Amino acid sequence: MKKIEFPTFYAAPIFLAVALKSGVDAFFEVNVVKYLYFFLLIFGVFFMRTGRAFDRQLQGRGVNNLQSVLWVYVMLYFTFLVVLMMWQNGSPQMIFKIVSPFVFFGLLVAARDKSLPFALAVGAALNILANAALIPFDFGWTYWGGVRTFKGFYMFKTDLSYSMATSVLIYAAWNRYKPTPTFLILTLLSVGMVVLANSRANYLTMLIVLAFIAYKNGARPAVLAGYAAFLGVVVALVMFLYDPSKYLGFDTSNMGSFTQGRDRILEVLIRYGLATYGPLELLFGRGLYADLLIYMENVSDGVPHGAHNDVMYQLTTQGIFGLAMNFCGWYLVWRIANSDGRRRWASGLAFVAFLMYLVQGMTMTVSLFALKTWPLASVFLLILASPDEVDGTVADASSKAQTKAFSLWGR
């Protein structure tokens, strides 16, 4: 399979939808854009299904069966959330957001086309370049507290930063991690924007991406650990000599300022939330607004604040059952991504993408935002849609001869 694979006529709508996905993610709250995107997606699926049907190479390989399981899962999770909304609280929009990454992935699997990996790479590059183009203009900046920070065309700097890190990962994976001039330019632009955005959690996500790419290019884990230790010493020294609150907008001497109140939210949700839950509430939660209500009802200022932690959000709102359902959804997506055979080129990619997702979930409720969940689904789609190649030939996992060739090639 060629990496640069342009879509046929009937696949063009879905190619454009995927390539422009990052921009649509940024404006996802604008209903017109959201509905237009899904119209293009479903329109593309229809033509893919009727124009060429499923890729014939998938016949009998378990992808179709697993996709059916995915749709059953989506309906079960959707039904659970609707019942929870009627029994406790919530909104249809929240339910749609929670299940949307699985719907998004399922539709793209159904409409799978050879051009989808290229569409994802194009979308990643466009996302980086379009945001970088806003650096000289006020539209791309905002004030976070008293510090001027870069946000690009996203509403929040955290969304921009996570999107940049994911875009670098997707483009690098599509390019098989080769340090080409184009990749280096895109990476430098992305790193610069993450620094300007001052999104601390995404300093870590970007470092994870860069370390993974370096590892894929032959860097040994011990060497990477040495560089990480050296960087940590440099950062600690700089923070000791200079007050970071003057330049980065946070005060490391004040935990409340450093976490922006997240430590207080966590304490309230545990003390007045989970600690007071009965068995039924521990199992099913108190509704999709539970984190907001618990904080608002037990803090004197009466201002509602969300959990800002995805595990805590799911436990308080959907209970252990909801947390397990969400985990099962991502496990099923991972199974589908690998159902056509493990990809040698993608070794470790799914783990890194999910690690980034978990890091992001430590500081915000990622399951509620398509800007956080859809990029992860895109990485799994890239794995599914990009077979291994040997001397430019697409690997057929069902071919014993090529399987043997893979074994010899990998020694």
Side-chain angles (χ1 to χ4, degrees):
M1 180 185 295
K2 297 178 181 178
K3 286 192 300 181
I4 299 179
E5 188 86 36
F6 290 99
T8 52
F9 172 74
Y10 49 79
I14 200 161
F15 181 92
L16 292 174
V18 172
L20 299 176
K21 186 187 76 65
S22 297
V24 175
D25 284 353
F27 297 101
F28 191 79
E29 300 302 326
V30 180
N31 286 336
V32 175
V33 175
K34 178 171 61 180
Y35 296 141
L36 174 62
Y37 177 48
F38 274 98
F39 172 77
L40 284 174
L41 191 59
I42 296 171
F43 181 74
V45 170
F46 173 77
F47 271 88
M48 288 298 301
R49 187 70 178 88
T50 58
R52 192 169 62 184
F54 291 103
D55 186 343
R56 292 185 179 180
Q57 293 182 352
L58 296 180
Q59 296 298 329
R61 300 238 187 119
V63 174
N64 294 348
N65 292 335
L66 282 173
Q67 190 186 11
S68 299
V69 174
L70 177 64
W71 291 123
V72 172
Y73 159 80
V74 168
M75 292 305 301
L76 289 175
Y77 197 17
F78 177 82
T79 301
F80 164 69
L81 294 174
V82 169
V83 172
L84 187 62
M85 178 184 69
M86 297 172 65
W87 176 40
Q88 295 279 12
N89 54 68
S91 70
Q93 185 180 25
M94 296 177 76
I95 295 173
F96 172 76
K97 286 181 177 181
I98 292 171
V99 302
S100 68
F102 309 112
V103 176
F104 167 71
F105 180 82
L107 289 175
L108 287 177
V109 170
R112 181 170 133 169
D113 181 73
K114 292 182 178 180
S115 67
L116 286 181
F118 182 48
L120 289 167
V122 169
L126 286 176
N127 188 33
I128 294 171
L129 294 174
N131 280 284
L134 293 177
I135 293 177
F137 303 101
D138 288 339
F139 177 82
W141 294 79
T142 188
Y143 277 93
W144 197 259
V147 178
R148 192 167 185 256
T149 58
F150 183 69
K151 67 175 184 62
F153 56 67
Y154 287 84
M155 292 184 64
F156 299 104
K157 60 178 186 175
T158 52
D159 297 334
L160 164 83
S161 300
Y162 183 72
S163 182
M164 291 299 101
T166 309
S167 293
V168 169
L169 181 64
I170 287 176
Y171 187 88
W174 171 80
N175 198 45
R176 300 301 187 262
Y177 316 104
K178 297 176 183 176
T180 61
T182 301
F183 165 73
L184 293 176
I185 291 172
L186 293 175
T187 301
L188 288 174
L189 288 173
S190 298
V191 170
M193 285 185 282
V194 170
V195 172
L196 292 174
N198 182 26
S199 177
R200 281 156 281 161
N202 287 294
Y203 290 169
L204 180 56
T205 56
M206 182 60 82
L207 284 175
I208 290 172
V209 170
L210 296 179
F212 176 66
I213 295 171
Y215 173 74
K216 283 295 200 178
N217 279 280
R220 291 178 297 175
V223 174
L224 292 175
Y227 278 115
F230 174 75
L231 182 62
V233 171
V234 171
V235 171
L237 182 61
V238 171
M239 293 177 67
F240 176 77
L241 296 175
Y242 300 96
D243 182 3
S245 64
K246 295 180 179 179
Y247 306 99
L248 300 178
F250 60 89
D251 184 1
T252 55
S253 65
N254 186 312
M255 182 57 68
S257 174
F258 180 72
T259 66
Q260 297 178 340
R262 286 175 172 84
D263 59 325
R264 174 62 172 156
I265 295 172
L266 184 64
E267 178 188 355
V268 170
L269 291 182
I270 293 176
R271 177 181 297 181
Y272 302 106
L274 293 180
T276 66
Y277 276 20
L280 196 62
E281 291 171 321
L282 285 173
L283 187 59
F284 299 115
R286 287 184 182 174
L288 300 180
Y289 292 131
D291 58 327
L292 298 170
L293 294 174
I294 292 170
Y295 190 88
M296 182 177 63
E297 292 170 356
N298 293 281
V299 178
S300 59
D301 60 12
V303 178
H305 288 288
H308 287 284
N309 180 287
D310 202 53
V311 172
M312 184 59 65
Y313 171 77
Q314 292 187 55
L315 284 176
T316 54
T317 61
Q318 304 160 53
I320 297 173
F321 182 82
L323 180 64
M325 285 290 288
N326 193 268
F327 174 80
C328 288
W330 287 116
Y331 175 73
L332 183 57
V333 167
W334 176 81
R335 283 287 308 276
I336 294 175
N338 290 282
S339 59
D340 196 27
R342 294 291 182 91
R343 314 305 198 194
R344 291 178 181 271
W345 70 266
S347 175
L349 178 59
F351 172 79
V352 167
F354 202 71
L355 179 61
M356 294 169 59
Y357 183 75
L358 291 177
V359 169
Q360 200 73 184
M362 293 172 61
T363 59
M364 69 173 302
T365 52
V366 289
S367 59
L368 275 179
F369 297 97
L371 288 84
K372 300 297 191 295
T373 57
W374 292 19
L376 178 58
S378 297
V379 173
F380 285 117
L381 175 70
L382 181 64
I383 295 173
L384 172 66
S386 302
D388 282 316
E389 297 179 8
V390 180
D391 297 328
T393 303
V394 178
D396 184 349
S398 67
S399 170
K400 294 182 179 180
Q402 285 192 347
T403 299
K404 183 177 180 181
F406 275 142
S407 178
L408 294 173
W409 175 68
R411 292 178 182 173

